[in-house]
Amino acid sequence: MKAIRIHEFGGPDVLKYEDIPEPQPGPNEIQVRVIAAGVNPVDWKIRRGGMKLPLPMTLGFDVAGIVNAVGSDDGGFHPGGSVYAKVAPPHGGYAEYTLVDVSHAALKPKSIGFVEAAAIPTAGLTAWQSLFDVAGLEKGQSVLIHGAAGGVGSFAVQFARWKGAHVIGTASAGNAEFLRSIGADEVIDYKTQQFEDVVHDVDVVLDTIGEDTFERSWGTLKPGGFLVTTVANVPEGAAKSHGVRAKHIMSQSSGKDLARIAAIVDERRIKPIVTTVFPLAEARRAQEMSENGHTRGKIVLRVAEEPKQSGSY
Ligand SMILES: NC(=O)c1ccc[n+]([C@@H]2O[C@H](COP(=O)([O-])OP(=O)(O)OC[C@H]3O[C@@H](n4cnc5c(N)ncnc54)[C@H](OP(=O)(O)O)[C@@H]3O)[C@@H](O)[C@H]2O)c1
């Protein structure tokens, strides 16, 4: 099968489109024929050597595809079914076939195609787990979302709106209209406004930017509020000294959470925003675009043609 692999850490040059054997499922695994694979910043962070995973490795975490074979514990999945998942290393998503632990997979939302479904896992799970499992966002509360137009942010805006929260998002001016269209009540142009001058007493901040944005976020929270960040290290004692709570989330693969998200997608309450699709062989262009830091929604790799029937479920 074809896969995008790295044999060393480095720049985009280390990405290789090559032939490797199809992986065979172990006891708790399903083999998925990948139709589409989502692209995330973590993919190029790994490529650059930010996490020293064993090499060679196939990159990519997010897939949507069709179950091709199952292990001895099939977890209720059957060949021919349409699924989506966040795969766990050493398996990778930028490939024609991948292996998924049965607890990490869910049935693909029926109302969307494979390309849109592949946009969901990492960004959708991160937004969901940050807002609800970590920060406990409730109906009627307010949330400030930094990087609201990006992968995590565009899901977070929609989930927070779905929950019934008041949503404030930061983005550049060109994304203001877009953010309103997916549910933001207020949009702050981070290039011309200091968000801490205009946002006060929010219940939750979701920071996907870090550094200065993380530091300036403390003062926007109400006492006891929650600052959840996908990127910044939270210094010990910092939350307490600001009278709030804080956590650096490490999002988890979860078939259960993906099933809940699929249900909300199929109720047409949220939708993945896919702005660019590249063929698998052009993963390099996809990563270079993502590294730019200004993706609206998600970039997805098309690995195979969309099947006419979306599986047998
Ligand atoms: N810890 C975890 O489990 C976890 C999980 C997922 C992601 N992450 C990390 O979270 C970060 C975000 O991921 P992502 O997939 O959402 O990235 P992304 O899609 O690449 O985010 C791009 C977005 O960031 C916006 N942006 C750039 N600078 C900004 C600023 N100063 N203020 C507000 N918005 C700004 C851009 O908007 P404009 O074009 O308008 O500037 C763009 O829409 C990445 O570093 C990723 O590695 C961590």
Side-chain angles (χ1 to χ4, degrees), residues 41-42 45 122 126 147 149-153 170-172 175 190 208-209 213 230-231 248-251 290 293-295 297:
V42 67
K45 290 181 184 179
T122 295
T126 305
V152 176
T170 62
S172 59
N175 277 319
Y190 69 85
T208 71
I209 304 299
T213 300
T230 63
V231 278
H248 177 184
I249 186 176
M250 290 305 296
S251 61
S290 173
H294 294 289
T295 307

Side-chain angles (χ1 to χ4, degrees), residues 10-29:
D13 279 348
V14 303
L15 294 168
K16 303 292 175 210
Y17 182 56
E18 54 191 26
D19 288 298
I20 57 167
E22 272 176 34
Q24 298 305 317
N28 303 321
E29 292 175 328

Side-chain angles (χ1 to χ4, degrees), residues 1-10 12 14-21 23 40-62 86-95 97-98 280 283 287:
M1 68 165 190
K2 293 286 188 198
I4 298 283
R5 296 213 301 174
I6 56 170
H7 296 256
E8 58 186 315
F9 300 113
V14 303
L15 294 168
K16 303 292 175 210
Y17 182 56
E18 54 191 26
D19 288 298
I20 57 167
N40 292 285
V42 67
D43 303 348
W44 49 259
K45 290 181 184 179
I46 288 174
R47 190 206 72 218
R48 288 179 179 180
M51 282 168 237
K52 298 288 182 217
L53 297 174
L55 297 177
M57 70 173 289
T58 302
L59 291 179
F61 288 91
D62 294 352
K86 176 173 177 176
V87 305
H91 309 305
Y94 294 7
Y97 292 87
T98 194
L280 175 64
Q287 288 208 347

